[in-house]
Amino acid sequence: MSGTTPGAVAARQVPARPARVLLRSGVPAVLTALGPRDAAELLDLHRRLPDRDRYLRFATLHPGDLEGYVVRTLDPDGGALTLGARVRGRLVGAVQLLPAGGDLAEVAAVVDPAQRHEGVATALLEEVAAVALRWGVRRLQAYVLAENGPMMQVLTGLGMPMATTREGTGTAVEIVLDPGDRYRTAAEDRFRTAAAGGLDPVFRPRGIAVVGAGRGERSVGRAVLRSLRAAGFPGPVHAVNPHADEIEGYPCRASVRDVPAPVDLAVLAVPAAGIEEVVAECGEAGVRALVVLSGGFPGVPGLGGRVRELADRYGMRMVGPNSVGVASPGPPAHLDVTFAGQAVPVGDVGLVAQSGGVVIAVAAALQRLGLGLSAMAAIGDAHDAGARDVLAWLDQDPATRVVVLYAESEPDLRGLVRTAEHLARRVPVLALESATSTAGARAAASHTARSASPHAVREAAYAAAGIQPVADLSTLTAAVGLLRGQPLPRTGTVVVLTNVGGGGVLAADACAAEGLPLEPLPDDLRARLAALLPPLASTVNPVDAGAAVTRSEFAAALRVLTGDPRVGAVVTVTVPTAVSDPGPAVPAVLAAAVDPAPVVDVRLAGDGVACALPLPGGSRFLTSVTEPAVAARALGVAWRRAAWLGRPRGAVPPASGDVVAARAVVRAALARAPEGDWLLPDEVAALCDAAGLRVVPTSWAEGPEEAAAAATGLAGPVAVKGVVRGAVHKADAGLLRLPVAAGDVAGIVAAWQRRAAGDWLGAVVQPVVPAGDEFLVGAVHDEAAGAVVVLGPGGRATDALGHRVHRLAPVGEADVAEMLAGTGLFATVHGRTLAADAVARCLRQVAWLADALPEVAEIDVNPLVVTPQDAQALDVRVRVRPVRG
């Protein structure tokens, strides 16, 4: 049946290193390629099968020569690949991949009955599918007995297209390896379930051991014990210290092995040099999770990898190292294993951060606003559990109503997007922005790659996930308060209501800087306000009620504004004067209002600290700040969240490119340059044709005579571009001339050819096109985020001008609309005349190409010349590189 010859697997790319996955309960499993040395383990796995499972696997209760079957399965010359899953060092499942000719391969799975509901088969099949795709296999086939319902559920649950055919007493199942939206949704659901389950022992432990708790007052471990006692943790707590009987009232043990079960969570505060031994002891003692407070890992070469390997081997999740700790201070856990030095306030804000200092600062700022934490994790260096894992846990926590994120780095930014997007549909997710390096951007070869800085990539990821970035702690605090205490903004204009003109101007400018709409009020609304306010009041917007406005007049105006459906939100700016203090009217109005527009309160003469003014009705309150800019930035966060929730979901138009032809171009280029290279002009032309990108007619010439002939065939002057190895920017290298008469082309090209010598590749001849506005459209593959697309001003000024907008590929209609608007280039009178639909079409096709072909490392359409009638690319550069692993 197999079309594979002996030794074929050796020629294919077999996973060289173990892969780590989370099973349904959150326990880590290690997936490895099995070989002859694993025969005894695989035989034992088959022998552990009960009779019914053995029958379902082999269609007989007594398979003949089971030992021989196992040996043949693992024979490296047999043409098959067998992947095994180990949990806590024991082989609990295996899947065989046997190529059957063409793009088809057969699969068969066996799972330890004790692990049947842990998702072992699913995890193995997902890994096997990834390997199969790298082998060129596009279809998997399995034969399942009719009564084997569990295996059919596994195959169906993968989320890939599947067809079934009845064959005798069973069913032939064919799975098309198309990781589309359905598969991605199913895989994300599996991840969230597993990640949340794996962190239950961290946030909801039954028993805790603190390892490294010293008797000294400055001991980190002792500080953790004090935090546990203050939080009122209800379960058993033991300190591990062989030199003490008790610390902080908790009994001491010489080793983790001596601690009575259950110990779900071990908190490690030992020097880095001794951490491996302690982690191994925890694993042997059956500890389920670790919080590693210890730092200094970089000083011990390879320590981080070895500790992670130990944690995986023993099936433990790990937070840290270099962590301040974790907390879940409210019921039922009453958990605080931090050394922050202050009690973690109880509330409904979830917090995950890499920096312990940020954790302490955010918790303190929220506490001043009267808010607290539902759960907190300082993930530190995140050698195991990262921000995505914690977000998955917070997603299933009903006590969490707002989430704050601080991530300096995230190795799987695309995965974080998927998890955060699901969470953001339920609760607001805010990210305190971290500093990013521009060194990588400065070194990049193309304008697109230079544009895709770490900050820009994160901007694209956050936009896709519905994460709202904030630049500073003051804005973060105010935005959390606004989102927690007030409804989201409605569709309509922002109105500034003030009793001091200068304050209104400051607020209006701040709102404009945030891109918030601040429109003149309709005549009927202005008339209603004029009837309520003093005669000299201005009712345009900002609404300046005047310094003499009474509290009741100010309240009446606010009541009208918050009740008008054309008003999206109100910013009140007040200062007490000798004759009036309208500030207290603001919470009074909201207290009596029914379904009002949200309000942000600014007290210019305040003490500089944001505060929450309680309102009747449970958890409602008014956030009051002292700076108009902070109020506007907080309102901008809420406004963007409302817009994100209202945008269409999943509206990615179908691809119009020829992916088969595009793959053929890339495959041929990599055959020419196995380590990757910039495509030659004829290769670029073929790729653009496959992708449906409209490019100016281009002729490729290897020398002066061919270039002259191409120019002669064009009516009118031409543009000539030299292609020289290593010269990416032609204009900067003096390799661009226009307009050029046909008779002058040969001389220009000959001069370039002499100067370039052995680096000469050829020349490009194009007609000179009518002038238009120049845009940059591009895409770059980021290691963590995948394909990132960019739109902005193009031509030689692209690096000098701003307004570049980034999104993750593929882009939907809402993404395209936001990118066009975000550049600001279509908002002017002239810009509104340009063919925005043509720019959108180019943007969609570039995004499709980068998403469909991960080998496309960079694509740079610059300039894209846009006129009122159309858009066409004058220059397209593409760099490809092999994708391995």
Side-chain angles (χ1 to χ4, degrees), residues 141-548:
Q141 188 177 70
Y143 182 79
V144 183
L145 290 178
E147 57 263 53
N148 196 350
M151 181 51 66
M152 287 297 297
Q153 289 180 342
V154 168
L155 296 174
T156 303
L158 278 175
M160 295 193 189
M162 189 177 84
T164 59
T165 306
R166 290 300 300 268
E167 291 187 4
T169 60
T171 302
V173 179
E174 184 173 291
I175 297 171
V176 179
L177 299 183
D178 176 21
D181 289 342
R182 183 169 175 265
Y183 168 77
R184 283 188 284 268
T185 298
E188 172 58 26
D189 289 345
R190 288 191 288 268
F191 171 82
R192 288 198 313 276
T193 298
L199 292 184
D200 271 342
V202 173
F203 291 110
R204 299 283 190 267
R206 294 169 296 173
I208 299 173
V210 180
V211 185
R215 286 177 290 192
E217 284 297 320
R218 295 173 61 84
S219 164
V220 169
R222 184 170 185 175
V224 170
L225 293 173
R226 284 196 291 265
S227 297
L228 277 166
R229 188 179 60 212
F233 178 70
V237 176
H238 290 81
V240 175
N241 185 332
H243 308 295
D245 296 326
E246 64 85 25
I247 297 176
E248 292 292 332
Y250 293 111
C252 288
R253 303 284 178 170
S255 167
V256 179
R257 299 188 190 94
D258 302 325
V259 176
V263 178
D264 284 340
L265 178 65
V267 182
L268 310 187
V270 299
I275 199 77
E276 284 182 80
E277 180 182 355
V278 173
V279 171
E281 288 180 0
C282 288
E284 293 164 3
V287 172
R288 298 173 63 199
L290 307 172
V291 172
V292 183
L293 309 181
S294 314
F297 275 45
V300 183
L303 178 60
R306 295 194 299 274
V307 168
R308 165 69 179 268
E309 184 179 342
L310 281 170
D312 289 346
R313 182 188 308 168
Y314 289 107
M316 299 182 290
R317 295 306 312 268
M318 177 175 69
V319 175
N322 199 26
S323 168
V324 168
V326 302
S328 182
H334 299 285
L335 174 75
D336 183 353
V337 289
T338 71
F339 60 98
Q342 57 189 29
V344 177
V346 179
D348 53 19
V349 179
L351 172 61
V352 52
Q354 284 187 264
S355 164
V358 168
V359 163
I360 295 170
V362 170
L366 293 176
Q367 191 170 22
R368 287 193 293 271
L369 197 62
L371 299 175
L373 303 179
S374 57
M376 177 278 289
I379 57 176
D381 294 338
H383 285 186
D384 175 19
R388 185 187 179 194
D389 299 89
V390 180
L391 293 182
W393 192 90
L394 294 171
D395 198 357
Q396 53 81 55
D397 177 32
T400 299
R401 296 181 60 184
V402 179
V403 171
V404 173
L405 167 69
Y406 176 79
E408 295 168 355
S409 62
E410 176 57 49
D412 183 12
L413 197 55
R414 182 72 67 147
L416 178 77
V417 166
R418 291 192 293 268
T419 301
E421 181 183 10
H422 190 274
L423 172 62
R425 295 290 169 190
R426 184 176 73 84
V427 301
V429 181
L430 284 69
L432 186 61
E433 292 185 296
S434 60
T436 55
S437 168
T438 58
R442 287 197 302 268
S446 72
H447 296 291
T448 296
R450 266 203 298 274
S451 170
S453 65
H455 177 78
V457 170
R458 194 168 294 162
E459 168 201 324
Y462 286 175
I467 297 173
Q468 306 305 322
V470 292
D472 56 75
L473 196 56
S474 297
T475 303
L476 175 70
T477 307
V480 170
L482 177 60
L483 289 166
R484 268 289 288 107
Q486 295 281 293
L488 287 173
R490 304 186 296 222
T491 301
T493 184
V494 174
V495 178
V496 175
L497 175 63
T498 182
N499 73 326
V500 52
V505 172
L506 291 174
D509 288 346
C511 288
E514 281 297 304
L516 297 170
L518 201 75
E519 306 293 338
L521 298 183
D523 290 342
D524 63 311
L525 184 54
R526 292 185 62 188
R528 292 177 64 194
L529 292 172
L532 298 171
L533 295 173
L536 297 181
S538 171
T539 60
V540 179
N541 194 13
V543 177
D544 182 3

Side-chain angles (χ1 to χ4, degrees), residues 681-697:
D682 55 338
E683 295 169 330
V684 170
L687 188 65
C688 289
D689 184 62
L693 289 173
R694 189 162 184 267
V695 182
V696 174

Side-chain angles (χ1 to χ4, degrees), residues 615-640:
L615 300 173
S619 61
R620 290 198 313 143
F621 59 86
L622 173 68
T623 298
S624 183
V625 298
T626 59
E627 295 182 43
V630 172
R633 290 196 294 267
L635 183 57
V637 169
W639 202 277
R640 287 186 288 274

